[in-house]
Amino acid sequence: MPDLAAIVIHCRDPYLLAPFWSAVTGMPVVEADRVKLAEGTLAPTEAVLLRDPHGRRPDLWISPADVLPEPGRIHLDLVGDAEERAAVLEAGATVVRELPRWTVLADPEGNEFCLLPPNEAHTASPPGH
């Protein structure tokens, strides 16, 4: 089976979402893209790369798109305890709904993602959660 190399999140505003997803995942923006974000010099269709410096996770691209399907462009399931949940909310996420086994949150552009407690990390989720 192929290895997962990258995840792409299509967005309206990479200046908004790249820092959010960097904070949430702990994956830094690569240096060249960090400079462009700070200087406001991204080209209109230029994506921003977040990369795990240890190489243990797939790359995460925050990529602008003219047409964005609704609802959401991607759905991620993250695992985190109460402290990590607080950090995700502080980074700019909002709670969409609380479910018995996990919380559905939204990033600053409204893309939903789930935060599962550590004991639910490998429990199958129902389709469309």
Side-chain angles (χ1 to χ4, degrees), residues 37-48:
L37 286 171
E39 295 174 349
T41 57
L42 285 172
T45 60
E46 189 171 5
V48 176

Side-chain angles (χ1 to χ4, degrees), residues 20-97:
F20 172 81
W21 284 109
S22 179
V24 168
T25 64
M27 292 173 51
V29 175
V30 298
E31 181 62 20
D33 291 346
R34 187 191 62 73
V35 169
K36 290 178 183 178
L37 286 171
E39 295 174 349
T41 57
L42 285 172
T45 60
E46 189 171 5
V48 176
L49 175 60
L50 284 62
R51 178 166 281 155
D52 179 357
H54 306 291
R56 293 186 293 240
R57 299 186 203 166
D59 289 343
L60 182 58
W61 288 96
I62 308 302
S63 180
D66 290 332
V67 178
L68 299 171
E70 295 297 333
R73 281 72 51 159
I74 192 166
H75 182 101
L76 300 177
D77 284 347
L78 306 176
V79 176
D81 59 21
E83 183 177 319
E84 291 161 324
R85 174 192 163 114
V88 168
L89 292 170
E90 185 175 316
T94 56
V95 175
V96 175
R97 64 187 166 280

